[in-house]
Amino acid sequence: LAGANTLYGAGMLELGVTFSFEQLVIDNDIISMIKKAMDGIPVNDYTLAVDAIKEVGVGNDFIGHMTTMDNMDLPSDPLVINRDMIGDWRAAGCKNLADAAHDVVEDVLKNHTVEPLTPEVDAAMKAIVKKADEEFLKEA
């Protein structure tokens, strides 16, 4: 929030000696939340719940109002960090964060397919490497 634009170490454990796919998934959630906070939260009549305040009344319960539900994920929308009420979390099997991240890792390893680069992007990347190689050889 102080202007830094690089996050380093996603997935790393033990000062980078160990890498964990599960930690990478968890860190991805955290980084996504930070990035969303950096984007700011839209401020308008709907996000300020102007109509909901008129409807429900000052001092009354807004938790169950649709405006609250619609705007709940504005600050962030994590993939594995669970925000369920404890009763709902228990009813769903009490899965901890590491186990939820492991499920994502298993799914990605089993089902993810990498889209091939377009010929234009492939050519541009090869040109960058060729230029770097040429510059390196000049200096050698």
Side-chain angles (χ1 to χ4, degrees):
L1 297 174
N5 62 3
T6 303
L7 294 167
Y8 171 76
M12 290 184 184
L13 301 172
E14 301 181 279
L15 299 172
V17 174
T18 305
F19 185 87
S20 165
F21 288 141
E22 289 77 11
Q23 187 65 52
L24 180 62
V25 170
I26 294 166
D27 291 345
N28 183 64
D29 258 11
I30 294 167
I31 292 166
S32 295
M33 292 165 67
I34 292 168
K35 287 175 69 176
K36 207 158 190 183
M38 297 282 294
D39 288 342
I41 298 171
V43 178
N44 54 49
D45 284 354
Y46 190 72
T47 60
L48 291 174
V50 172
D51 290 338
I53 292 169
K54 290 176 186 173
E55 178 186 328
V56 176
V58 175
N60 291 317
D61 184 3
F62 293 89
I63 296 296
H65 194 275
M66 188 50 69
T67 304
T68 303
M69 304 308 289
D70 287 348
N71 292 314
M72 189 176 301
D73 289 333
L74 283 177
S76 65
D77 189 16
L79 176 65
V80 293
I81 295 173
N82 190 317
R83 292 187 171 157
D84 290 343
M85 299 300 286
I86 194 159
D88 295 334
W89 175 73
R90 286 181 177 146
C94 306
K95 187 173 287 191
N96 67 38
L97 184 58
D99 289 339
H102 183 73
D103 289 348
V104 172
V105 169
E106 290 290 319
D107 180 61
V108 169
L109 291 174
K110 180 179 178 184
N111 298 310
H112 180 72
T113 57
V114 178
E115 296 293 323
L117 297 175
T118 64
E120 297 81 17
V121 170
D122 187 48
M125 290 177 67
K126 286 178 179 173
I128 291 168
V129 171
K130 181 180 178 188
K131 181 180 177 186
D133 286 346
E134 290 169 353
E135 289 177 10
F136 177 78
L137 290 172
K138 283 181 193 176
E139 295 175 11

